[in-house]
Amino acid sequence: MPTLPSLSRRRFLGAAGALGAAATLSVPDAALGVPDAAGAGVGASGSDVTPIAWQSLGSYPGTDAAGGRVTAILAGSSRYLIGPWYAGTYTRYLPDGYIDLKGTDERAVRLPAMAAVAAATALTTGTYDPRTLSAANATIRTRNLIRTLAARHRANNADPATRWGNGWQTALWAYYTALAGWLFWERLDTTERDHLATLLAWEADRLTTGDDVHLIGTGGDQLYMTRRDGTVVTPGDSKAEEDNWSAAALSLAAVMMPRHPNAARWTRRNIELLLAAAACPQDLTGNRTINGVRLSTWLQGTNIADDGTLQNHARLHPLYMVAFDQSLYQGFVFGLAHRPAPRAALHNINRTYAALVEKPFPLPDGGTTPIYRADSAEIHYPEGNDWGTHFPFYFGNFDLLVTLTGQDTGIHPAAAKWERLHNEAQLTLMSRFPDGRTYGATGENTYYGREHRIGAMAAQAYLTLFLARNTTGNRLRWR
C-alpha cells in the first residue's frame, strides 16, 4: 500500500484554502458526553477494533479496463469533494475544535460521511489526484470530517443541539463514518478511534433489538413491504434499501470488532436483514437454508417480486433495484479482514439483475424493451423516474459488482458489457467539468447529495475491485 502523507499529531490543522488565515489551530479536546441508554449495549472502544492489515493484502494495479474507469471516477469525485466542496462548506471551527456540520440531519451528516469514504479510499489506495489540493492537505480535511462526525454522534455527545443518531437512516451514516475511519485508522488518535468504535457499536446494538418482523424493537419500522398473508404494509415502498443499509452497519461492526461481546449478535442480525431485504414470494415456501436461516420459516414477508423487480416511491423503480449494491459491498468489507462474507448478501441478486437486463416492458409505440436498452447506456424507467435524468454510474457500479461476484450467470448480455456502457457514460458526464464533479443542472439528479453518492459508490466499487483483482488472488469469498 502507498504511504499516506505525514500528518502532525497536533489534533487540528487547517488545510490551505479551507479556513483562510487559520492555517494552524491549536484547540482543546472536545468535551465527551454521556450517551443515553437506548442502544448503548456494553459499549466499545478503539482497542476493540482490528485494524486493516494492508501489508498482507497485496495490491491492485487498476490497469484492467473496468478498473481504469472506476479509478478515474473515484479520483475525480474525491478531488471535487475534498477540494471545492469541502472548502465551500466548512469555513470555520466551533469553539470545541470541531468543524461546523451545520445541523444534524441527512444533509449535515450523511453528505460529509460519504465524502469522507471517497477521500479516505482515494488517499489510502494511492488513487487520489493532487492536482488542485495536495495529498497532505486532503488528508487533514478527511480526518476533520471523520473526527467531527464521530464526536457528534449521540454515543459520544450529550448536546441535543449537535448530536445525531438513533434515526431512520442513521445506521447508514454510521456505516459511512466508521468505514472512512477504519480506512484512515493509522491517521487517527486514541480519542477519535474510541469515538468511531463507540458510535458504530451503539447503532449496531440498536439494530439487534429487532425480530423477524420489525427492524428495531417490537414495533415501528417493519422489515417487509408485504406480509406473508399478502397484506401490503407500505404500499409502493419496499423495505429492501432500509434493510440492507442497516445490515451494512452490522457487518462493519462485526468485521471491525470481531472480539467484541456482541459480535455474534451483529453477525446473526446482519444475515437476517440481508435475507429480508431481498425476500420474494418464492422464498416463503420450500426448504432452502442460507447461513443457518431457513427462509420459509424465518421470513415473515417480502420486498421484491418473484420476477426480481421492486417498488419504491409508488412505482417500479430501477434505481432502487440497483440499491442492492449495498449488499454486495459486504464482499470487500469482509475481504479487508481476510474473512468470507455471508452468502446471504448474494441472495436473489441474479434474479434482480435478470429483471434489469432481460425482462421486457411495454413501450408507448407498442413495442417492448428491457430496463437496460439494447447496446446503449440509456435506462428505461417503466413507470418513470422521480429523481432526475442522469444516473449511469448507479447502474455501472451495480454492473461491476455483479460481474465481480458472478451474479450474472445465465444472463445475456453479461454484466461486463453493461459496466462499460454505463461507466463510459459516467465519464462523459464528468468530462464536462474541470473540478471532478459529475452533475450540472439540478434536473440531472435532484438529490442534494448527488456528488457525494457518486463518491461513496466509486470508493466502494474500487475497494471491491481491490479485493477481487488483487495481486495475491481474488479475495472476495462467500460462505
Side-chain angles (χ1 to χ4, degrees):
M1 292 300 301
T3 301
L4 286 171
S6 176
L7 184 64
S8 169
R9 298 314 284 175
R10 293 182 70 181
R11 293 196 58 207
F12 312 111
L13 297 179
L19 297 173
T24 302
L25 299 178
S26 179
V27 188
D29 290 343
L32 297 180
V34 179
D36 48 26
V42 298
S45 70
S47 62
D48 292 309
V49 173
T50 300
I52 300 169
W54 290 110
Q55 70 280 2
S56 67
L57 284 174
S59 62
Y60 167 60
T63 54
D64 57 289
R69 288 186 283 270
V70 172
T71 298
I73 296 167
L74 174 59
S77 180
S78 60
R79 179 165 60 87
Y80 169 77
L81 292 170
I82 208 64
W85 177 78
Y86 182 106
T89 304
Y90 305 110
T91 57
R92 68 185 184 117
Y93 289 113
L94 294 177
D96 63 4
Y98 294 106
I99 58 176
D100 184 4
L101 295 178
K102 303 177 182 179
T104 60
D105 61 1
E106 180 180 3
R107 190 187 296 266
V109 180
R110 180 179 176 179
L111 272 56
M114 289 192 287
V117 169
T121 300
L123 288 161
T124 304
T125 60
T127 56
Y128 177 71
D129 179 355
R131 78 177 76 170
T132 52
L133 180 72
S134 71
N137 275 343
T139 297
I140 293 166
R141 292 181 178 187
T142 302
R143 183 182 174 200
N144 264 342
L145 294 177
I146 295 167
R147 52 181 291 276
T148 300
L149 289 163
R152 293 297 187 236
H153 188 270
R154 65 188 303 122
N156 304 307
N157 177 19
D159 183 356
T162 61
R163 69 184 187 180
W164 63 274
N166 196 33
W168 167 68
Q169 201 186 86
T170 58
L172 179 62
W173 310 349
Y175 165 80
Y176 286 137
T177 302
L179 174 60
W182 196 35
L183 294 169
F184 239 48
W185 200 251
E186 293 182 357
R187 292 292 180 258
L188 305 179
D189 66 24
T190 300
T191 297
E192 293 156 1
R193 293 174 178 182
D194 287 346
H195 284 171
L196 284 163
T198 300
L199 81 86
L200 184 58
W202 196 99
E203 293 282 349
D205 284 342
R206 185 170 67 98
L207 292 162
T208 62
T209 64
D211 55 24
D212 57 353
V213 174
H214 300 96
L215 182 63
I216 296 167
T218 56
D221 294 334
Q222 297 195 30
L223 299 182
Y224 311 102
M225 184 179 84
T226 306
R227 294 179 184 150
R228 290 185 70 103
D229 63 5
T231 301
V232 180
V233 181
T234 54
D237 183 20
S238 169
K239 300 291 100 180
E241 189 185 27
E242 290 97 315
D243 290 350
N244 74 7
W245 80 42
S246 298
L250 289 157
S251 71
L252 185 60
V255 169
M256 283 180 62
M257 296 177 278
R259 294 180 297 277
H260 190 279
N262 290 346
R265 295 173 60 203
W266 299 335
T267 299
R268 170 71 182 195
R269 190 60 173 167
N270 175 45
I271 291 167
E272 291 175 348
L273 295 186
L274 287 169
L275 295 174
C280 70
Q282 289 183 5
D283 292 330
L284 303 181
T285 61
N287 298 317
R288 191 175 187 194
T289 297
I290 299 176
N291 293 127
V293 177
R294 185 170 178 174
L295 302 187
S296 61
T297 301
W298 191 83
L299 293 173
Q300 301 303 312
T302 61
N303 281 308
I304 70 173
D306 284 334
D307 66 5
T309 61
L310 60 74
Q311 292 188 336
N312 220 314
H313 292 206
R315 69 194 70 207
L316 188 157
H317 214 312
L319 282 178
Y320 290 90
M321 293 167 68
V322 297
F324 282 112
D325 61 350
Q326 194 67 68
S327 297
L328 296 182
Y329 291 144
Q330 293 209 7
F332 86 76
V333 170
F334 281 84
L336 287 173
H338 300 279
R339 293 173 57 185
R343 172 64 180 77
L346 305 180
H347 183 53
N348 282 335
I349 298 297
N350 179 271
R351 186 187 299 262
T352 294
Y353 199 68
L356 292 168
V357 174
E358 296 180 335
K359 181 177 174 61
F361 293 90
L363 290 170
D365 63 6
T368 62
T369 180
I371 292 169
Y372 281 13
R373 304 296 295 264
D375 299 313
S376 170
E378 183 182 352
I379 300 297
H380 173 62
Y381 296 92
E383 298 176 10
N385 178 13
D386 55 340
W387 279 113
T389 58
H390 289 62
F391 297 87
F393 189 53
Y394 286 58
F395 296 94
N397 166 64
F398 194 57
D399 300 330
L400 177 66
L401 297 171
V402 167
T403 298
L404 297 177
T405 57
Q407 296 306 296
D408 57 346
T409 301
I411 298 172
H412 302 286
K417 173 183 176 179
W418 298 110
E419 180 277 324
R420 177 181 62 79
L421 288 169
H422 294 143
N423 286 344
E424 285 179 350
Q426 166 65 22
L427 290 169
T428 297
L429 290 180
M430 296 178 78
S431 70
R432 300 176 297 171
F433 309 104
D435 59 8
R437 60 194 166 101
T438 296
Y439 291 107
T442 301
E444 292 179 352
N445 182 339
T446 62
Y447 177 44
Y448 48 70
R450 58 190 188 168
E451 298 294 348
H452 310 74
R453 183 82 171 96
I454 295 296
M457 288 191 296
Q460 293 171 99
Y462 184 90
L463 290 168
T464 306
L465 274 166
F466 179 91
L467 272 298
R469 297 180 177 171
N470 198 270
T471 53
T472 61
N474 186 350
R475 291 176 173 272
L476 292 182
R477 295 179 292 129
W478 310 89
R479 62 173 173 83

